[in-house]
């Protein structure tokens, strides 16, 4: 079986070409067809039906098994799917083989975006294996023997349906609370109408089916057909109708329920739990998800956070109470469960076999005195467990009322919050006292230093971590994202060795984060012999984006790089640049290729004399021989644009020759300006042979990427956007030259430019009003793809103002002109404003520095105060 995609248009269908495109050729036979984003119907014969789109896509599955199957091409059976969603059009047809004597045909159900219009083309010999009504069933009209959809449309062709699946939605809102009631008469009428029906399924709490069907109402023919009628209520409970007595049988003996935080959903769950208790159905698991507040001993009920009370608990076998991990001040108090509440809860739930509390939100009693435990509870031996969110599970021992830790080697995390640190220190002390090993202790951005004198870790809050003897893995996690890097934390040789000696069971220590700075090496004479014997693994990962992991070698005290082809990033911070340069030097010395070196807004120039890159901090990047991809990233967001950085032809060619293994170099940013071209005679033959990819993207909003062609030294342009773009041109000469080039590329490609922004770059309009003159002398011709012209920080007198209007008249798509932070004429003679602009509906706005906003009345020629709804953009 193979699959292929073909495209067709409405014209193909209307012209009868769809038969050619859909009919298999040779030994190919169509097995299935899927049409998507489609608002009409098509038959194999190319029959024209209404609401055909301009384009549609068809997926064909076909095979070459003609001799084996001996089946002619055709369509004989169809699965239909109806959905009420109005935002997307989908048609799903599944076609199967049948005997050659059967007539080929199609049944399509089609939805429009705003109304449930459908077309059903059926033939009596075509069986519908399954009809799925997805959230669109309203009722069954017994009088007219048809299904009424929520849109009001009627579904009458039901004689050939074998399986009818009716699904509803999960009721969570008041508007859905009434539900859809299906009476006995409707249910029986539906069975009579669907002559070939073998099964009907209702799924969803939206439906309210009759509690039973009296045996005297059931026709003998229905009992003979034995139609399977099932109802699944989205809680795991499936009810099936028994035709002998007309009663529902529950096929899921022990459903499980979940009660979330939403009050409306809690109400529904409580009603359902009441029904199950009334019917004597055991609940295998009741999950209270972040909604438990307390157990009311007096009234013997669970009080939820919403204030609702859970009183019916007699049939619950497993009660799972989950909370959230405490990390904020608002959660610091926690939820205390007293001994009386805990014992009362056990006695209330008569069938309870297990109760689980999960989350650091809960504070359970440290023990339950043996004299308080009723004998019945010891006999029942209910399993009581508490998972504190740190990987430790405590289980209550009914013999002595003490908690036992069932996780031999727990792992937990200490965060930045002081309250959380206090909890962790107490817990770590208990584990250390009990001699329980901690598999991993994660200090999440809270490590400050190691106090060698007192043999303890000092946290950022000032608290001290002393119980370290049973820790096996210590993970010191730090800053790994973007933004302001925290203060530098230097870990000296003495601190590192002292830390390793304090943790007696330590097997591994990991430092991850850009704020940590470990010693560049540890002299061999400083390493105690015991360290070499234990061979503790010490690793250091500065930045996960780099992919470089350093591991300490105990033989010589040097760092070894464990990553084959790492990627490095050098940011703007000087201290971080120093570490990155040292890292790059080590990789270069070891001959390890660097897959990508990213200079993040720190490139200044290339020093051709010394063959090195000079950073903005004046540091120099010299180890470039093993770099494969060089990414020079610059300003791409908002705010003050950095000073222009011109990369000359000599710098670019020198940079390419210095990086011997370079395969690609990318410049991105408004501050970088590459040469407009490179003469072919100035290109070294070796560079043409290597064919290094050189790309330049000034501003992603422009949607243009320039790539250097080594054959002629010119830039080739690639459009990277599908929709409209904006183009910003600033006051620099190089910026205006490149902006003009990109405007020409976009205009030639017919890309819509929703805004041309001239920021301190507008000068005048030519006398013939056919071009804009920029401050550098560059000119921008008439553009027919620009929708808005915005001029800022340039005062405009009356003569220039009228020239701008005349230029706008030539640009057929401009509908907005905005003058921003500048002075304009107080009024304009309305007779001088081109009449064509008034007909076009041109809007002219003026936003002076005072913060007021005006719109020009083209009929009167004066400014009127105006304020947009969402402020300036």
């Amino acid at each position: 079986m193979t699959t292929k995609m073909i495209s067709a248009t409405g014209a193909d269908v209307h012209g009868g070409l769809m038969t050619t495109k859909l009919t298999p050729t040779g030994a190919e036979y169509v097995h299935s067809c899927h049409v998507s984003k489609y608002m009409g119907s098509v038959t194999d014969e190319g029959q024209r039906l209404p609401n055909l789109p301009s384009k549609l896509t068809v997926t064909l599955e076909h095979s070459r098994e003609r001799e084996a199957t001996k089946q002619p091409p055709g369509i004989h059976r169809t699965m239909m799917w109806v959905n009420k969603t109005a935002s997307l059009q989908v048609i799903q047809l599944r076609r199967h083989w049948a005997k050659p004597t059967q007539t080929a045909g199609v049944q399509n159900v089609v939805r429009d975006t705003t109304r449930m219009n459908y077309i059903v083309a059926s033939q009596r010999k075509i069986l519908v294996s399954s009809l799925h009504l997805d959230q669109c069933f309203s009722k069954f009209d017994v009088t007219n023997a048809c299904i009424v959809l929520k849109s009001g449309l009627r579904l009458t062709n039901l004689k050939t349906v074998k399986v009818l699946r009716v699904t509803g939605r999960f009721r969570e809102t008041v508007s859905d609370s009434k539900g859809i009631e299906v009476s006995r008469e409707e249910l029986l009428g539906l069975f009579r109408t669907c002559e070939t029906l073998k099964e009907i399924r209702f799924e969803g709490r939206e439906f309210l089916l009759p509690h039973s069907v009296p045996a005297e109402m059931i026709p003998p023919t229905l009992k003979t057909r034995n139609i399977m009628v099932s109802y699944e209520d989205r809680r795991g409970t499936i009810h099936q109708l028994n035709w002998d007595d007309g009663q529902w049988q529950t096929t899921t003996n022990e459903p499980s329920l979940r009660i979330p935080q939403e009050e409306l959903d809690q109400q529904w769950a409580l009603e359902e739990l009441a029904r199950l208790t009334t019917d004597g159905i055991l609940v295998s698991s009741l999950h209270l998800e972040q909604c438990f507040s307390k157990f009311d001993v007096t009234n013997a009920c669970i009080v939820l956070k919403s204030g609702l009370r859970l009183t019916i608990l007699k049939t619950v076998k497993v009660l799972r109470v989950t909370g959230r991990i405490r990390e904020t001040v608002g959660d610091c108090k926690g939820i205390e469960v007293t001994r009386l509440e805990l014992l009362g809860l056990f006695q209330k739930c008569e069938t309870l076999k297990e109760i689980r509390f999960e989350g650091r939100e809960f504070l359970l009693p440290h023990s339950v005195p043996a004299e308080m435990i009723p004998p019945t509870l010891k006999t029942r031996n209910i399993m009581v467990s508490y998972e504190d969110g740190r990987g430790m599970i405590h289980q209550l021992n009914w013999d002595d009322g003490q908690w036992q830790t069932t996780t031999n080697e727990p792992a937990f995390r200490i965060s930045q919050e002081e309250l959380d640190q206090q909890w962790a220190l107490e817990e770590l002390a208990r584990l250390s006292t009990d001699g329980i090993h901690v598999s991993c202790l994660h200090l999440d951005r809270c490590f400050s230093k190691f106090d060698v004198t007192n043999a303890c870790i000092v946290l950022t809050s000032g608290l001290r971590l002393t119980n370290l003897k049973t820790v096996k893995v210590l993970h010191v996690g730090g800053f790994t994202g973007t933004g302001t890097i925290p203060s530098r934390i230097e870990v000296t040789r003495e601190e590192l060795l002292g830390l390793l000696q304090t943790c007696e069971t330590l097997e591994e220590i990991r430092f991850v984060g850009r704020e940590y700075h470990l010693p560049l090496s540890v002299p061999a004479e400083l390493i105690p012999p015991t360290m070499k014997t234990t061979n503790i693994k010490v690793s250091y990962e500065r930045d996960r984006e780099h992919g470089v992991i350093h591991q300490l070698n105990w033989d010589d005290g040097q760092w070894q790089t464990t990553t084959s082809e790492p990627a490095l990033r050098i940011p703007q911070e000087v201290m971080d640049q120093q570490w990155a340069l040292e890292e790059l030097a080590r990789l270069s010395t070891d001959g390890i290729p660097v897959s990508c070196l990213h200079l993040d807004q720190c490139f200044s120039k290339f020093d051709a004399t010394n063959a090195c890159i000079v950073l903005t901090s004046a540091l120099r990047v010299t180890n470039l021989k093993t770099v494969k991809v060089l990414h020079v990233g610059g300003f791409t967001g908002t705010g003050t644009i950095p000073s222009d950085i011109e990369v000359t032809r000599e710098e670019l060619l020198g940079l390419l020759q210095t990086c011997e293994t370079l395969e690609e170099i990318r410049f991105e940013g408004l501050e970088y300006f590459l040469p407009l071209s490179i003469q072919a005679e100035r290109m070294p033959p070796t560079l043409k042979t290597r064919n290094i990819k050189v790309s330049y993207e000034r501003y992603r909003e422009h949607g243009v990427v320039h790539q250097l062609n080594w054959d002629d030294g010119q830039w080739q342009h690639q459009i990277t956007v599908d929709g409209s773009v904006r183009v910003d041109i600033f006051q620099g000469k190089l910026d205006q030259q490149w902006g003009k080039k990109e405007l020409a590329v976009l205009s030639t490609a017919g890309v819509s430019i929703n805004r041309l922004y001239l920021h301190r770059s507008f000068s005048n309009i030519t006398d013939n009003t056919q071009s804009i003159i920029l401050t550098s002398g560059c000119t921008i011709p008439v553009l027919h793809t620009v929708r808005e012209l915005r001029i800022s920080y340039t005062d405009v007198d009356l003569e220039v103002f009228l020239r701008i209007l005349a230029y706008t008249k030539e640009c057929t798509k401009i509908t907005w002109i905005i003058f921003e932070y500048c002075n304009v004429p107080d009024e304009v003679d309305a007779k001088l404003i081109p009449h064509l602009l008034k007909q076009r509906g041109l809007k002219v706005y003026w936003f002076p520095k005072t913060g007021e906003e005006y719109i020009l009345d083209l009929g009167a020629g004066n400014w009127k105060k105006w304020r947009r709804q969402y402020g300036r953009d």
Side-chain angles (χ1 to χ4, degrees), residues 496-512:
L496 184 61
L497 294 174
L499 181 58
L500 296 174
Q501 289 174 306
T502 301
C503 304
E504 298 175 359
T505 59
L506 195 66
E507 298 176 359
E508 179 183 356
I509 182 172
R510 296 194 297 265
F511 287 88
V512 180

Side-chain angles (χ1 to χ4, degrees), residues 65 111 132 142 166 282 293 362 379 388 422 481 537 558 569 575 710 723 781 795 835 848 872:
E65 302 175 356
R111 294 179 290 102
H132 179 191
V142 180
V166 185
L282 294 180
S293 174
F362 303 113
T379 307
D388 57 12
Q422 291 174 350
K537 181 180 176 181
Q558 302 295 320
R569 170 180 166 270
M575 292 171 56
W710 287 105
D795 293 340
H835 184 66
R872 299 184 183 181

Side-chain angles (χ1 to χ4, degrees), residues 456-472:
C456 64
I457 292 174
V458 182
L459 303 179
T460 51
S461 62
L463 294 174
R464 292 173 177 265
L465 189 56
T466 55
N467 299 281
L468 297 169
K469 292 184 178 181
T470 58
V471 176
K472 300 181 76 172

Side-chain angles (χ1 to χ4, degrees), residues 113-384:
T113 55
T114 55
R115 53 197 177 93
M116 288 287 296
N117 282 343
Y118 69 94
I119 302 172
V120 179
S122 63
Q123 298 182 9
R124 291 187 177 180
K125 294 184 179 180
I126 303 174
L127 293 179
V128 178
S129 60
S130 176
L131 173 59
H132 179 191
L133 305 183
D134 187 7
Q135 299 185 36
C136 60
F137 176 87
S138 175
K139 66 175 182 178
F140 181 78
D141 185 346
V142 180
T143 307
N144 298 304
C146 64
I147 292 175
V148 181
L149 303 181
K150 290 183 178 179
S151 63
L153 294 175
R154 293 172 177 267
L155 193 58
T156 56
N157 299 279
L158 298 170
K159 292 185 178 180
T160 57
V161 176
K162 297 181 72 176
V163 175
L164 178 61
R165 183 184 174 200
V166 185
T167 57
R169 52 182 164 177
F170 188 83
R171 266 201 302 120
E172 294 181 352
T173 61
V174 177
S175 59
D176 296 330
S177 59
K178 185 178 180 181
I180 298 175
E181 185 176 356
V182 181
S183 65
R184 298 184 181 99
E185 292 73 16
E186 291 182 44
L187 195 61
L188 295 173
L190 186 57
F191 299 148
R192 293 194 199 96
T193 302
C194 304
E195 298 174 358
T196 58
L197 193 67
K198 294 184 177 180
E199 179 182 356
I200 181 170
R201 296 198 299 268
F202 288 88
E203 300 173 13
R205 297 163 62 190
E206 191 174 10
F207 302 112
L208 304 175
L209 272 72
H211 290 288
S212 62
V213 180
E216 58 273 11
M217 291 184 65
I218 305 174
T221 53
L222 289 184
K223 293 184 179 181
T224 306
R225 288 168 59 188
N226 197 23
I227 301 170
M228 179 178 174
V229 185
S230 61
Y231 166 48
E232 183 178 357
D233 58 9
R234 293 293 189 192
R235 291 284 185 187
T237 309
I238 302 175
H239 311 277
Q240 188 170 332
L241 190 64
N242 185 356
W243 286 106
D244 294 332
D245 56 6
Q247 301 296 321
W248 293 98
Q249 294 177 341
T250 303
T251 58
T252 303
N253 294 325
E254 297 182 1
S256 59
L257 298 180
R258 166 183 164 270
I259 302 181
Q261 293 175 288
E262 295 75 18
E263 184 175 352
L264 286 168
D265 205 50
Q266 289 177 7
Q267 292 173 350
W268 242 98
L270 296 182
E271 292 174 7
E272 193 154 322
L273 185 61
R275 285 197 295 271
L276 292 172
T277 304
T278 303
D279 297 339
I281 299 174
L282 294 180
V283 177
S284 61
S285 176
L286 176 60
H287 181 192
L288 306 183
E289 185 179 13
Q290 297 187 33
C291 61
F292 177 88
S293 174
K294 67 176 181 177
F295 181 78
D296 186 345
V297 181
T298 307
N299 298 303
C301 64
I302 292 174
V303 181
L304 303 181
K305 289 182 179 179
S306 63
L308 295 175
R309 293 174 176 264
L310 188 58
T311 56
I312 303 172
L313 298 168
K314 292 183 179 180
T315 58
V316 176
K317 297 179 74 174
V318 176
L319 178 61
R320 183 184 174 200
V321 184
T322 57
R324 49 185 165 176
I325 297 177
R326 276 199 294 118
E327 293 185 352
T328 61
V329 177
D331 297 328
C332 63
K333 185 178 179 182
I335 299 174
E336 184 177 0
V337 182
T338 65
R339 296 184 181 103
L340 293 176
E341 290 182 39
L342 194 61
L343 295 174
L345 186 57
F346 300 147
Q347 292 172 306
K348 175 67 176 177
C349 304
E350 299 174 359
T351 58
L352 194 67
K353 294 182 178 180
E354 179 183 355
I355 181 170
R356 296 197 300 268
F357 288 88
E358 301 173 13
R360 295 160 64 188
E361 190 174 8
F362 303 113
L363 303 175
L364 272 73
H366 290 288
S367 63
V368 180
E371 58 272 14
M372 291 184 64
I373 303 175
T376 54
L377 289 183
K378 293 184 179 181
T379 307
R380 288 168 60 188
N381 195 24
I382 301 170
M383 179 178 174
V384 184

